[in-house]
Structures are given as structure tokens and as C-alpha cells.
Amino acid sequence: MAKRVDILTRFGQRVRELRKEQGYSQENFAYACELDRTYVGGIERGERNLSLRNIERIAETLEISLAELMDGV
């Protein structure tokens, strides 16, 4: 059985995909989320274990539901 990619990595890839689809630079996205750019970079690399509040901030900035954000994660 193949090992599944870590949830933090999968979530980070999903955030990066959606951010790029909406045309945000990492810096502008972080500003819109009221998060530090280095923190967003860590999220996208799967290095950060986010709080629910920060997950909600990301979804709100992307103007999608939490379910949509987690789709495929």
C-alpha cells in the first residue's frame, strides 16, 4: 500500500493551487489573510500546523467555504 502524503502537505498544496488560481502573489495573499508572508510560505510547504481560525481566514480570503477549501485534502 502506498504511503499517503501528509495532510499538512496536501493542505498546503491546495492553498497554493487556489491562491494562484485567484491571481494572488504569496505576499498579497498573506496581507489579505492578515498573516505573515513567511507563515503562508510555511503553510504551502506543509511545515505549519494551522489553527482553525487561520484556516477560516484563508477560506474567507479566497471567498470559498471550508468544505471547498478542504476538497481533495
Side-chain angles (χ1 to χ4, degrees):
M1 178 181 259
K3 185 177 178 182
R4 189 158 184 205
V5 177
D6 180 70
I7 190 167
L8 297 177
T9 301
R10 295 191 318 266
F11 181 78
Q13 290 169 345
R14 178 71 173 152
V15 170
R16 179 178 285 139
E17 170 191 344
L18 294 168
R19 170 182 64 78
K20 287 184 173 185
E21 280 178 10
Q22 293 197 17
Y24 279 106
S25 69
Q26 195 176 75
E27 186 173 1
N28 288 340
F29 183 67
Y31 181 80
C33 291
E34 298 180 355
L35 299 170
D36 188 85
R37 183 197 52 80
T38 59
Y39 183 75
V40 171
I43 292 168
E44 291 184 356
R45 291 188 302 276
E47 299 170 352
R48 298 289 185 168
N49 191 4
L50 290 75
S51 70
L52 290 173
R53 287 193 172 117
N54 287 340
I55 293 170
E56 183 178 52
R57 281 181 175 185
I58 289 169
E60 287 174 352
T61 299
L62 293 168
E63 298 180 345
I64 60 175
S65 69
L66 291 172
E68 290 172 297
L69 178 59
M70 299 304 288
D71 186 40
V73 173

